[in-house]
Structure formats: C-alpha cells, structure tokens
Amino acid sequence: MRVTLHIQKFNPEIDSKPYEEPYRLDIGRGTTVLEALMRLKNETDGTLTFRYACRSAICGSCAMEINGTEKLACMTQIRPELERHGEVRVGPLKNLPLIKDLVVAMQPFWEKIQSIRPWLDPLPHEQVDPIAMRNAYKAFNNVEACIMCGACVAACTVYEVSKSFIGPAALAKAYRFVADPREAAVPERLQRLQGDGGIWDCTRCNYCVEVCPKDVKPMEAITLLRRASIQSGLTQTLGSRHITSFVDIIRHEGRLNEGLMPMKVIGFRIKDFLRILPLGIKMFLKGKVPFPFRLKPAIPGIKEVRALFKARDEQRKGPM
Amino acid sequence: MKYALYTGCAAKGACPELYQSTMHVTKRLGIEVVEMLNAACCGAGVITEADPDLALAINARTFAQAEALGLNIMTICGTCQGVMGMANYRLKTEEGLLDRINALLAPEGVKYNGRVEVKHLLWIIVGDIGIDALQRYVTRPLENLRIAPFYGCYILRPSKVLGFDDPENPVSLEKLISALSAHPVDYEGRTKCCGFPLVLEKEPIAIGMVGANLKEAKDELADALVTPCPLCHMNLDIYQERAEKKIGEKLALPILHLPQLIGLAMGFTPKELGLSRHLVSTKKVVEKIQLKV
Ligand code: SF4
Ligand code: SF4
Ligand code: SF4
Ligand code: SF4
Ligand code: FES
C-alpha cells in the first residue's frame, strides 16, 4: 500500500520556522510510524531527525505528535491512523523546545521530575509496616509503569499555558513516593506540592490519562495526592477549599449553590473577594447568580442525601 | 422517546438559559422528559477527590430514581455526562462495587440494579434521532454562520468510559452544526479544556486557557462558539473579557449552549432561548441570521 506521510521538518541552521513535507512510501499491514521514519531516513532523506531506541514501547524516546495526538511512534501503526484520520501527519511533541525535525529538548521535563525528589527518604527498616509493604504495589496505582516519554506533558492543557506547572508525569512520580510505605518524609512531600505549580494547578482535563501509552493515569495520581493532602490537614489552599466547600454545600443542600460557593472558597481573603466581585455583579444583573441564602435551598430528598454523607462519615470515622 | 432529565446544577443556577432552551428543543423534537427534581448534584468530579465512595453513592441514588421510572437518563451538561458516565461504568464493571454502594443506600430503602444508561442530549440527537431527522426540523437554516465547536473535556475523555466520539477526532458537533446549515470551524482548541475548574483558585491559568482556545477559533473567523457543557459556557462567556485583557486582543465571541444553536435553527426567538442572558453579547449572531433581538 502506497501512502503519504506529512512530516514536520525544521533545521534551526537553515529554516526560520517549521514546515511540513510530504514523503511517499510503500507500507505493509502492520508498519509502524517509527519503521516508516527509519526507512525514509535510510532510503529517501538522510537528514530526517527523530529519537528512538528500543522500538518496543519501553525506552520512552519516540513520543511524538501523530495526527494531533501524542503517541509512541513505535507503538502506532500507520493503517489504523489512516482509517481514523484519513491522513498521517507527524510532528514533534508540543510544549517542549524544538531542536530539529521531530526532536524536542527533554530538559524541562527532567527538571520537573527532579524537582519532586524522585528518590526515597527511607524509614528505618524496623519501622516499615510489613503488611502495607505487601500491598504497596497496588497502592502505586500503576504509576511505576511510567517510561518517561513526555507524551502527557506535551498534551497537558495547563502546562501549555503555565510552564511553572510541575505537570502530570512528575506529579504521578511524586505520588509514587507518597504511597510508598518505606517513605519517611510524606508530610514534607505533600507540603511541597501545595504551592503554585503544584497539585492544585491541574484542571482535571483527563488529557494525560487519555494519551499515556502505559496507562499511568497521572490525573488519578494527582487526585490521590489531593485527597492525601486534605486528609493530612492541608486544607488552606484555595484548591482544597474548593473541594471542602463543594462537599459541604452538597451535604446541606443536595445541589450546588453558585451564589454561596465562591464566598465559601474565598472566605475572608479580601483581595480574592474583590477579584470576583465585579463578575458577580455582572452575572447578577443577567439573572445568573442565585441568591446565596435562599429560603428553601435544598432538594426535596435532602434527608436521603444527608444520610449518605453521615453513613460515609461513620465509615471514614469523622467528617471530611 | 422518553428520558429522565438530569438538568445538573448549572442549568438550574447560573445558566437558566440552558434549561429554557433545552425544554423548547426537546419538545419540538418529540423527546418527552421527566425532570429529576429530587436528584442531587453529580459531584462534578470534586466530591470524588474527597471521598470516591460518597460520590458513587450520590450518583447511584440518582440512577436508582431513573431505574424506578423505567427510564434512561438524559444529561445536558458535559461534565455531568463525564462524571455520571464514569460512576455508572464503575458501578457496572467493578466487582463488588455495586453491592458496597448499595449497602450505603439501603437504610433509605434505595437500591440501584445497574440497568440505567446515561446519555448526553448531543448523543441522543446525533446517535438516536439522527442527523437526517434533525434536518427536517430546521426552519431557519443558519447558512452564513461559522460556528466553532467546543467539546470540553468530560464528554470526550476518558474515551474508554464514554465511547461516543473519537477523542482524537470527534465529529458529533460538526455533524450537528452542518445539519443546521451552518459551517463548522476547524481549530485545535475544540477538544481542549476551558479551565473552569481552576477559575476560582488559579484565575490566571484559567483565563489563559480561555484566551488561547477562543483566539484560535477567532483566527478561523468563527462567528460564535457552541458547547455541550454549561461549565465551559460559564468560563468562556463570563471570563472572556478578562481573557481579552490577558491576550491583548478583542474577542467578542458569543458562546452558545448546544440547544440554543439548535433552537435558533428551529425558529425559536432569541428571547425564548435566553440569548440575552450571556455576558458576551449575542447580537452579532442574531443579526447575521436576520432576526431582531
Ligand atoms: S488532567 Fe491535569 S495534569 Fe493531566 S493533562 Fe489535564 S491538567 Fe494536565
Ligand atoms: S505518565 Fe505516561 S505519558 Fe506521561 S511520561 Fe509517563 S508513560 Fe509517558
Ligand atoms: S456537573 Fe456541575 S452542574 Fe452538572 S450536576 Fe454536576 S455539579 Fe452540578
Ligand atoms: S472544558 Fe472546562 S468546563 Fe468544560 S468539561 Fe473541561 S473542564 Fe469542564
Ligand atoms: S522506541 Fe522506545 S518507546 Fe518507542
């Protein structure tokens, strides 16, 4: 089968900006994008530049953008791509500095990984809970499967607009150490993730979960870090107050009270209050803000809902 | 066709125009709806961050209510769809989970048997009613409108759970826009995130996302944007002015709820569709299809 691959090219020594070049070649049933790139490099264009090593989805070096989505070139067959998109366009990962053709600098990626201290601060051996140890693997929630390919970071919608975000791969890694029964510095680790760039910067868009070739589910790891933070009493960030206020409103009214919610989250932080006030007024004038202190705010079946909250309080031993 | 309508909080709170337009459009399409007035909030993916079993129990209660009516659930909020779809998927597939959650519901005499489906209005129209049938309801073709589809996150991802559209290349909104004789605009932001969940706590990030997505749509000469998620709507509409400041460019891009766009093509008046309840004026759109506001 003869196909055309549209491949993004860029040589910083000659080109002012990246451009796309069509390459035609014959492929077989299972030909992968990586195999095609290797053949093109050998037979057609020796300057074509890309990274790879293992050719079997282990080393994590061949992540690139294929038809707009971050994928491993060695794991992606051309024919299904054609069927799905009607074409094959190949480009470098987004959101990381472009070096040449399909190669980006991974330095920012590694800096984030390093920033979370990806090593154990071990407890003395005799303090490690042997039973927790037996279940530790499950507690990692598959985070240890990460091959550091960078696909999730390139796809992350927050990292796109905010480069100070630690990002999905590094936060998933951070979770791995928080969940490790041998780790001595869990509170310090959680504390470090509370500030700007940390766990509260994730918008929950699910992109990292969708693109990860190893089912690491970074967003789930971030959720688990958030839960661990709240449970350990780190409840003062606006991010955690968002959660606790939301839960509190549903507990009492059964549905969200959009008039009350911002006030609860922001509390007595005057600067933040003044920030949202003008929008609140505009919304009010358009009939968009329900009065925060409605006379009958709750849904009719609120008793049932409160009973559920109570039942969970008892199971968890104590309120959220 | 009959559904239990789960409006979600937004349609009953900050986006009454979504509720209003949904009612007009479903009626015209012959979809009978029973509104689930007693259902609680789906939790918006927030409650689950504090306590996943609690979030599941709240949703199982909602599913049980629909089950008792013998109806499947229609959602009109992309986020509700994602959250409830995920809860339902887990309750139906994870061993022992349904029993564990039903144990929480039992004291109130509620039980969910796992027999309900949750579907977004968009899926019902495109998947069940069909694009051809929809076209027959169009009395005011939106011929000269360029509409940017904005899917939002939870109606697409995780696709393993949702499974209606291809998250890499979704087509349902494009098909629907074409069926109304409008022109779907192609831009990268259509599958991205609007940033709504961050807007209270991390406003600069959230408005950065609003600005980036809307600018792309604007650069492709969109007249308006349409979204199946009221939370996307809120962020893209209410925070648009601040996003303009951040990117230093005027956007003035009207944001429409899905049933508002359909309703315009069906001949409903802007008033019936609540088009004046937005912060970004919808006047340009209305003028372009030659109507008076
Ligand atoms: S879910 Fe969070 S971490 Fe994952 S891609 Fe979205 S914003 Fe980034
Ligand atoms: S989490 Fe997945 S996508 Fe992200 S770096 Fe690891 S393997 Fe790659
Ligand atoms: S997504 Fe939001 S609006 Fe929709 S029900 Fe859930 S909490 Fe309420
Ligand atoms: S785009 Fe924004 S509001 Fe819409 S689903 Fe995503 S996070 Fe929610
Ligand atoms: S070449 Fe190693 S992961 Fe693709």
Side-chain angles (χ1 to χ4, degrees):
Chain A
M1 182 186 189
R2 200 155 174 81
V3 299
T4 305
L5 300 195
H6 301 271
I7 301 173
Q8 185 176 313
K9 299 254 324 185
F10 174 66
N11 180 348
E13 285 164 14
I14 325 174
D15 306 318
S16 57
K17 59 175 194 293
Y19 60 98
E20 223 174 52
E21 191 154 310
Y23 289 88
R24 289 184 63 75
L25 82 164
D26 285 309
I27 59 155
R29 177 165 290 281
T31 304
T32 63
V33 172
L34 183 62
E35 284 161 355
L37 290 172
M38 287 161 65
R39 265 201 16 235
L40 287 171
K41 188 173 175 74
N42 284 334
E43 297 164 13
T44 316
D45 177 0
T47 73
L48 190 59
T49 307
F50 49 96
R51 271 198 199 107
Y52 70 96
C54 71
R55 287 178 270 174
S56 45
I58 293 165
C59 73
S61 52
C62 70
M64 53 187 76
E65 198 175 285
I66 300 170
N67 282 324
T69 300
E70 295 70 16
K71 295 183 179 179
L72 296 181
C74 68
M75 217 176 116
T76 308
Q77 295 182 358
I78 293 177
R79 280 178 68 156
E81 280 298 312
L82 266 178
E83 280 155 26
R84 203 166 171 183
H85 294 272
E87 60 180 4
V88 183
R89 317 194 91 86
V90 183
L93 290 181
K94 287 188 300 263
N95 299 336
L96 290 161
L98 183 56
I99 296 178
K100 186 169 187 257
D101 293 350
L102 303 172
V103 176
V104 294
M106 293 299 280
Q107 191 61 21
F109 176 89
W110 293 115
E111 278 166 12
K112 304 284 183 190
I113 299 282
Q114 217 173 6
S115 77
I116 62 96
R117 298 168 59 92
W119 57 84
L120 209 60
D121 287 313
L123 281 169
H125 193 68
E126 56 288 356
Q127 283 178 37
V128 176
D129 178 356
I131 297 175
M133 214 41 226
R134 226 175 291 152
N135 298 321
Y137 209 63
K138 202 171 155 224
F140 291 160
N141 203 40
N142 207 34
V143 160
E144 75 291 348
C146 175
I147 57 172
M148 306 275 155
C149 69
C152 56
V153 171
C156 176
T157 56
V158 167
Y159 189 67
E160 182 183 2
V161 300
S162 176
K163 295 289 182 285
S164 63
F165 183 35
I166 297 174
L171 287 173
K173 189 59 97 204
Y175 171 69
R176 182 237 168 279
F177 290 99
V178 165
D180 196 312
R182 298 165 299 178
E183 171 65 34
V186 170
E188 293 83 351
R189 284 185 182 275
L190 288 175
Q191 182 63 50
R192 278 198 301 273
L193 298 174
Q194 303 299 309
D196 276 339
I199 50 175
W200 303 107
D201 282 18
C202 161
T203 181
R204 314 175 171 95
C205 73
N206 259 320
Y207 254 110
C208 50
V209 178
E210 191 71 39
V211 302
C212 175
K214 293 288 167 184
D215 199 31
V216 169
K217 300 169 287 195
M219 189 181 96
E220 274 188 27
I222 295 169
T223 297
L224 290 164
L225 285 169
R226 288 175 169 178
R227 197 177 302 147
S229 300
I230 293 177
Q231 278 166 2
S232 71
L234 294 166
T235 51
Q236 281 317 304
T237 57
L238 288 183
S240 61
R241 289 175 65 100
H242 186 128
I243 295 178
T244 48
S245 309
F246 194 106
V247 170
D248 210 45
I249 291 176
I250 308 305
R251 179 194 291 267
H252 290 103
E253 305 190 9
R255 63 183 170 128
L256 195 59
N257 180 333
E258 286 137 322
L260 193 57
M261 178 70 185
M263 294 202 253
K264 269 184 95 94
V265 174
I266 282 171
F268 294 102
R269 293 164 170 79
I270 301 293
K271 222 176 90 202
D272 286 310
F273 182 72
L274 292 178
R275 167 168 66 84
I276 60 164
L277 185 66
L279 289 179
I281 295 173
K282 280 190 193 161
M283 286 174 71
F284 182 78
L285 294 175
K286 292 281 181 184
K288 278 178 142 342
V289 199
F291 183 61
F293 310 105
R294 290 176 287 211
L295 270 178
K296 271 201 177 158
I299 61 168
I302 187 64
K303 264 178 57 194
E304 274 174 33
V305 175
R306 285 185 195 152
L308 283 179
F309 274 80
K310 270 207 78 181
R312 277 300 294 156
D313 286 345
E314 274 155 32
Q315 287 183 353
R316 273 195 330 266
K317 309 241 186 306
M320 217 92 61
Chain B
M1 192 177 282
K2 192 172 175 184
Y3 279 94
L5 172 63
Y6 181 83
T7 60
C9 317
K12 283 307 185 75
C15 299
E17 70 281 0
L18 169 63
Y19 177 73
Q20 203 178 323
S21 51
T22 299
M23 288 317 204
H24 284 306
V25 166
T26 48
K27 190 163 174 212
R28 179 71 56 87
L29 288 170
I31 309 174
E32 207 185 319
V33 296
V34 182
E35 199 182 323
M36 305 186 72
L37 293 165
N38 194 15
C41 168
C42 72
V46 174
I47 295 183
T48 194
E49 294 200 344
D51 182 349
D53 272 18
L54 178 60
L56 284 170
I58 293 171
N59 283 301
R61 174 178 171 273
T62 304
F63 302 153
Q65 289 172 358
E67 203 169 55
L69 292 168
L71 297 174
N72 287 323
I73 293 176
M74 174 198 290
T75 63
I76 52 174
C77 165
T79 303
C80 296
Q81 182 60 44
V83 171
M84 295 169 78
M86 174 65 108
N88 206 18
Y89 175 86
R90 290 193 54 196
L91 288 167
K92 286 183 184 185
T93 55
E94 278 175 37
E95 212 186 304
L97 186 60
L98 192 56
D99 292 339
R100 190 168 90 222
I101 299 302
N102 271 331
L104 281 163
L105 298 169
E108 301 297 315
V110 181
K111 184 170 182 223
Y112 176 47
N113 299 300
R115 282 202 284 270
V116 169
E117 274 188 61
V118 185
K119 280 191 190 178
H120 193 282
L121 174 64
L122 173 67
W123 302 353
I124 293 170
I125 292 178
V126 175
D128 300 346
I129 294 180
I131 286 300
D132 293 340
L134 175 67
Q135 258 163 347
R136 288 200 292 275
Y137 294 93
V138 175
T139 58
R140 187 198 285 143
L142 307 176
E143 262 146 16
N144 38 25
L145 281 188
R146 292 176 60 82
I147 303 290
F150 187 84
Y151 284 87
C153 309
Y154 302 122
I155 205 165
L156 294 176
R157 294 177 296 271
S159 58
K160 185 178 88 187
V161 174
L162 294 153
F164 185 78
D165 255 319
D166 178 351
E168 290 181 22
N169 190 19
V171 293
S172 59
L173 278 175
E174 280 79 358
K175 278 193 192 161
L176 185 137
I177 292 166
S178 303
L180 309 177
S181 295
H183 181 80
V185 170
D186 189 13
Y187 67 112
E188 225 186 280
R190 70 194 180 109
T191 57
K192 287 195 186 156
C193 178
C194 71
F196 178 77
L198 293 176
V199 81
L200 273 180
E201 54 256 36
K202 304 273 174 176
E203 186 178 305
I205 299 179
I207 59 176
M209 295 164 92
V210 172
N213 294 326
L214 295 187
K215 184 175 158 23
E216 280 173 19
K218 193 78 188 179
D219 287 347
E220 297 297 324
L221 306 175
D223 294 306
L225 180 147
V226 69
T227 172
C229 176
L231 311 187
C232 301
H233 186 278
M234 277 196 249
N235 211 34
L236 299 174
D237 180 52
I238 296 169
Y239 283 87
Q240 193 172 130
E241 212 185 306
R242 290 189 180 179
E244 286 174 340
K245 284 209 188 96
K246 175 145 184 161
I247 63 169
E249 196 175 318
K250 190 91 191 133
L251 292 163
L253 190 65
I255 312 295
L256 302 177
H257 296 285
L258 177 72
Q260 286 180 321
L261 185 74
I262 303 171
L264 279 174
M266 286 176 164
F268 289 106
T269 64
K271 186 148 189 270
E272 285 171 309
L273 301 170
L275 283 178
S276 62
R277 291 196 113 148
H278 301 182
L279 263 65
V280 177
S281 166
T282 53
K283 216 170 109 204
K284 275 192 303 186
V285 177
V286 175
E287 276 169 6
K288 241 192 159 166
I289 50 175
Q290 286 139 2
L291 280 169
K292 291 211 184 66
V293 190

